[in-house]
Amino acid sequence: MASKLSFGDVQLSGSLPPTQGNYWFVDSVNGSNGNSGLKPERAVATIAKAIALAAAGDTIVALPGHTEAVTAAGTIAVSKAGLTIVSAGFGRRRAVITYTTAVGASVNVTAANVSFIGVVFAAIGFDNITAAVNVSAADCAFIDCEFELANATNQAALGILTTAAADRLVVKNCFFHGSADAGTATAIRIVGGNAIRVEDNRFIGNYTTTLGAIDNATTACTNAQVVRNTIFNRTAASTKAMTFQAGSTGQIASNYMQILSGTAPITGAAMSWVGGNYYAATTATAGTLI
C-alpha cells in the first residue's frame, strides 16, 4: 500500500485507518470474489462479498475506481455490527454505488455502529428509487459521502430513510445533489429516533415544496441537532428547507437556506432555533436572519 491514501475529501497519513479487526479490500476492476480479500492485490470484487467475509468491527476498503450495482432491496446489506466501509480515491474515483433494475433497489443498514466514509451513492440508474439507503439500527454514520439523486431521466424519491431505531445517526459533511428535475421528495427522511445529528452538509435539489431537504415524517424525533448545513430547494414556489413533526425536539442552528417563496423555511414547533439561521426566498437576494 502507498504511505498515503485519500478517503473522500480527507487525506490520511499512514497506511490505513485503525480497526479492531481485519481489513478487507474491494476492487471491481481487478478483484475477484474468489480472492481472500485480505490484501489489495487479493481484493474481492464487491462490498457485498466483503461484508459476507467480515466480522464485527472490521474495516472494508474500496479501492479507487470501484463500482458496484445495487439491483434489489438489500443488494448491499450491512448486517454485522461495527463495520466501517471506506472509499479510497477522490471525486468519482471513489467507490460509486449505482442503482438499477427495481425501484426497491437499496443499501440496507440493519446493524449498529456502521460507518460509510467517502462513498458515492448514485441513485439515478432507475427511476423513482424508493430510498437509496435504509437505516434501521443505532449509531450509524455517513461521513464525506455523496448522494446523487436526480438527472433528466431518473430521480430517486429519497436519499436516506431511517426508522425509529436509528438513534444517534450522524450525517456529516455529505453532498446531496441532483439536476433541476422534479421527483425527489427529500434528501433525508427521519422517522423517529433520538439524538440524530445532521451537520455540515450541502443540499441542492428540486425537493417537494412543503418538505425541503430534511423531512421528519410520521414519528417525532428527540434531541436532534441540525447545524451548519446549506440547503437550496430549487422547486418553483418552494416554501420549506426542512420540516419536523410538532413534537420533535432538538436544535436547529447556523443553517443557510434558499427557498423560492414564503418566509418560513423551517417547520419545527418544539425545536430550539438557537440562532444563526439565514434564508432567502428569492435568488440573488441577501439572506434574512430568522
Side-chain angles (χ1 to χ4, degrees):
M1 291 293 292
S3 61
K4 191 172 185 179
L5 290 178
S6 170
F7 295 97
D9 295 330
V10 182
Q11 298 288 329
L12 297 178
S13 298
S15 57
L16 289 171
T19 183
Q20 295 176 333
N22 291 318
Y23 298 102
W24 302 92
F25 296 90
V26 179
D27 183 356
S28 61
V29 178
N30 300 305
S32 167
N33 282 347
N35 288 341
S36 69
L38 291 170
K39 295 181 179 181
E41 60 271 24
R42 297 294 298 164
V44 296
T46 66
I47 293 170
K49 178 63 174 180
I51 292 169
L53 293 171
D58 286 355
T59 295
I60 295 168
V61 181
L63 297 176
H66 176 75
T67 62
E68 189 160 342
V70 170
T71 61
T75 296
I76 296 177
V78 191
S79 57
K80 295 178 181 178
L83 291 186
T84 298
I85 300 171
V86 181
S87 176
F90 182 79
R92 288 304 172 91
R93 287 288 289 164
R94 296 177 295 174
V96 178
I97 296 173
T98 62
Y99 293 72
T100 67
T101 309
V103 296
S106 64
V107 175
N108 292 347
V109 181
T110 59
N113 303 103
V114 169
S115 298
F116 287 86
I117 304 173
V119 176
V120 177
F121 300 88
I124 54 173
F126 197 86
D127 193 31
N128 200 33
I129 293 295
T130 304
V133 181
N134 296 288
V135 181
S136 57
D139 297 299
C140 295
F142 296 85
I143 311 294
D144 293 306
C145 292
E146 178 184 344
F147 291 79
E148 186 174 7
L149 300 179
N151 65 14
T153 304
N154 302 315
Q155 304 88 42
L158 302 172
I160 297 174
L161 173 63
T162 79
T163 72
D167 293 339
R168 298 175 298 280
L169 171 72
V170 175
V171 183
K172 185 175 178 65
N173 201 35
C174 293
F175 182 30
F176 295 82
H177 66 98
S179 64
D181 295 281
T184 299
T186 188
I188 302 175
R189 175 161 289 165
I190 298 165
V191 182
N194 179 56
I196 290 172
R197 292 160 46 201
V198 182
E199 303 175 345
D200 303 301
N201 302 290
R202 294 165 291 155
F203 301 87
I204 181 167
N206 284 48
Y207 308 116
T208 299
T209 57
T210 56
L211 297 180
I214 304 165
D215 173 41
N216 166 218
T218 309
T219 305
C221 59
T222 56
N223 302 314
Q225 287 197 317
V226 182
V227 298
R228 297 184 304 274
N229 301 286
T230 60
I231 298 172
F232 185 3
N233 187 351
R234 291 182 307 197
T235 300
S238 59
T239 60
K240 295 298 176 183
M242 64 181 79
T243 57
F244 288 84
Q245 294 291 302
S248 292
T249 62
Q251 293 183 327
I252 300 170
S254 301
N255 298 284
Y256 297 85
M257 297 164 286
Q258 176 77 66
I259 56 175
L260 297 179
S261 182
T263 60
I266 300 172
T267 296
M271 301 285 284
S272 172
W273 303 4
V274 294
N277 295 299
Y278 285 83
Y279 84 98
T282 306
T283 57
T285 301
T288 298
L289 179 64
I290 297 176

